[in-house]
Amino acid sequence: MAGLTEIFRSSDEPVQDTDKLVDLFRNRAELKKEFAELRNEAYRLKDRIKEENAATERVQQKLNHLEALLLDPEWVHNVVAFYQLRRLGTHFEARVARFAEQLKQQREKRIRDKALAAWRKELEQERRQVDRQLGEHRARLQMLEDQLQSERHKLQTMGGLSKLMRGRSQAADVEALEASLRDAREQEAALLQELARIESVEPPPHEGLDIAAKRSINFMILSFVQQLYLQYYEDSLAGMAKEATEKSVGAVNYGSKRDCDEILVTLARRRDEVDRLADSTKVLQERAKHIARHAVFRRDDDAVPESGSVATVFDFMPTGAISQFDANLLGENYFGVANVLSR
């Protein structure tokens, strides 16, 4: 900028005109910068409009496709069955997510309460120790006050000859007791401050779940998912519900109207069972133990096991026997289980 000043300045040009010229170039540069920013913003908005238009077009294509399926007599019943199954699959995912969240909150609360109980116990021990020291110190303080009062009384009641002979020594004793009393009162104030500090201490922050706790939670979630799968395995509803949540309408053909009606009848018959879980917490915990015995982790700090190591489903019979078969529910992300595990 100094170079521009020298170029445009003539020998008889006033300094004020040169400064105006410099300001003009500076303003021009700032305007160019603002214009470039506005141009970039315009490009960004145009790209956003293109994205929104593309999204709108995709939605319109889906609507046109759905309309065509509903108008097709051979597909209309498939569409109804598909959305009923998707509704079931979505409900399964919501149940698993709710179960996982409640389990995490319960476990975090349990660990938090345990940590707080230990913290309160330690704090109470500190408070009791300070209280004990304060009580002992106040007893000593009272003793010093009594001694000081007694020594002052002796000094005040001394006769002329006794005061002459032992007055100086008695005064020194009084001064010593006064100094000890001051020190004792300072120590009492320090103990009171320590007691106030203990009573005002804030609880420690929650550090969260450790790896062992996260793994335990994940085993229970996998146990819950296995139970949902077992409840709807016999009618193939679990697999069809999962498929309906992953694919688009028209991508699955359930067969004729009769086949679709059978699916709807089965769904209606079992709709009341959707929100009920037959297995008790004890059975879920027992299944989680079996899952944990087979679980393998890539690293020591991993909370989610390798899907292949937990691909065995354990079914507890009323007789007490345990049936098992292979189904990789985690690997295939049944009911969105992979999305809710603790990590």
Side-chain angles (χ1 to χ4, degrees):
M1 192 61 69
L4 289 173
T5 303
E6 294 298 331
I7 293 174
F8 290 99
R9 179 187 294 173
S10 60
S11 58
D12 56 347
E13 184 179 5
V15 176
Q16 185 177 3
D17 293 342
T18 303
D19 292 341
K20 289 182 179 180
L21 185 60
V22 171
D23 291 339
L24 179 63
F25 274 92
R26 183 182 294 114
N27 293 338
R28 182 173 178 272
E30 292 176 356
L31 288 173
K32 289 178 66 176
K33 181 180 178 181
E34 292 179 4
F35 175 76
E37 292 176 353
L38 289 174
R39 183 176 55 191
N40 293 334
E41 179 67 11
Y43 289 152
R44 189 187 67 80
L45 292 174
K46 287 180 180 179
D47 291 339
R48 180 70 180 275
I49 291 173
K50 289 180 181 179
E51 293 175 0
E52 294 295 333
N53 289 338
T56 302
E57 186 177 352
R58 286 193 297 270
V59 171
Q60 187 61 48
Q61 289 175 354
K62 289 181 179 180
L63 290 175
N64 293 339
H65 178 57
L66 179 59
E67 183 179 359
L69 292 174
L70 291 173
L71 292 175
D72 190 337
E74 296 182 1
W75 273 98
V76 63
H77 304 290
N78 276 273
V79 172
V80 176
F82 174 86
Y83 280 108
Q84 288 295 319
L85 287 167
R86 174 174 282 187
R87 177 187 178 188
L88 180 64
T90 303
H91 188 77
F92 283 158
E93 291 183 356
R95 285 204 65 195
V96 171
R98 185 168 62 250
F99 177 84
E101 184 60 28
Q102 290 175 350
L103 190 62
K104 292 173 186 177
Q105 289 180 0
Q106 290 173 1
R107 192 65 58 87
E108 286 183 349
K109 184 178 184 301
R110 189 184 309 165
I111 293 175
R112 173 66 172 166
D113 289 347
K114 185 178 180 180
L116 282 176
W119 171 77
R120 290 192 183 102
K121 182 178 180 181
E122 182 179 353
L123 205 65
E124 180 64 17
Q125 290 175 349
E126 291 184 21
R127 189 187 67 78
R128 288 180 179 178
Q129 184 177 3
V130 174
D131 276 340
R132 180 179 55 79
Q133 292 176 352
L134 192 59
E136 294 173 353
H137 194 75
R138 282 175 173 170
R140 180 172 176 269
L141 192 64
Q142 184 62 47
M143 183 184 67
L144 287 173
E145 288 177 347
D146 293 343
Q147 288 179 355
L148 179 61
Q149 185 176 359
S150 175
E151 295 300 322
R152 282 176 175 171
H153 180 72
K154 289 179 182 179
L155 182 62
Q156 291 173 359
T157 57
M158 277 184 176
L161 183 60
S162 298
K163 192 170 186 179
L164 181 63
M165 295 179 61
R166 293 187 293 110
R168 182 175 299 176
S169 174
Q170 188 67 27
D173 291 341
V174 169
E175 290 179 359
L177 284 171
E178 289 176 342
S180 297
L181 192 59
R182 284 195 299 271
D183 292 340
R185 285 172 177 164
E186 289 178 359
Q187 293 175 14
E188 180 188 31
L191 287 172
L192 288 172
Q193 287 180 354
E194 177 63 14
L195 191 62
R197 182 196 67 80
I198 292 174
E199 292 176 349
S200 64
V201 170
E202 294 292 333
H206 182 44
E207 297 180 357
L209 301 172
D210 57 16
I211 294 298
K214 290 179 180 179
R215 288 181 178 182
S216 176
I217 290 171
N218 289 340
F219 295 145
M220 280 294 290
I221 295 173
L222 290 171
S223 176
F224 183 81
V225 170
Q226 285 193 12
Q227 183 53 33
L228 278 180
Y229 180 80
L230 287 168
Q231 280 188 304
Y232 295 90
Y233 172 74
E234 185 176 350
D235 296 321
S236 301
L237 291 180
M240 288 193 294
K242 174 181 179 296
E243 186 180 43
T245 59
E246 296 175 344
K247 295 184 178 180
S248 61
V249 61
V252 186
N253 190 335
Y254 302 108
S256 63
K257 178 182 182 301
R258 180 178 178 180
D259 297 328
C260 294
D261 287 343
E262 288 181 359
I263 293 174
L264 295 177
V265 169
T266 303
L267 283 170
R269 186 181 73 248
R270 306 204 59 187
R271 185 170 290 119
D272 294 337
E273 303 174 10
V274 173
D275 289 322
R276 294 201 303 267
L277 188 62
D279 276 0
S280 64
T281 302
K282 182 178 179 181
V283 175
L284 288 174
Q285 291 173 343
E286 189 63 28
R287 181 184 290 113
K289 291 179 182 177
H290 284 273
I291 295 172
R293 291 191 190 103
H294 294 80
V296 176
F297 299 88
R298 289 188 177 89
R299 297 189 305 270
D300 292 339
D301 58 348
D302 279 346
V304 178
E306 294 186 22
S307 60
S309 67
V310 291
T312 302
V313 176
F314 300 94
D315 189 10
F316 291 79
M317 301 291 136
T319 59
I322 301 176
S323 173
Q324 59 186 58
F325 59 92
D326 293 336
N328 196 347
L329 304 185
L330 175 58
E332 297 180 24
N333 196 24
Y334 261 81
F335 315 140
V337 61
N339 306 326
V340 299
L341 293 179
S342 295
R343 300 182 184 276

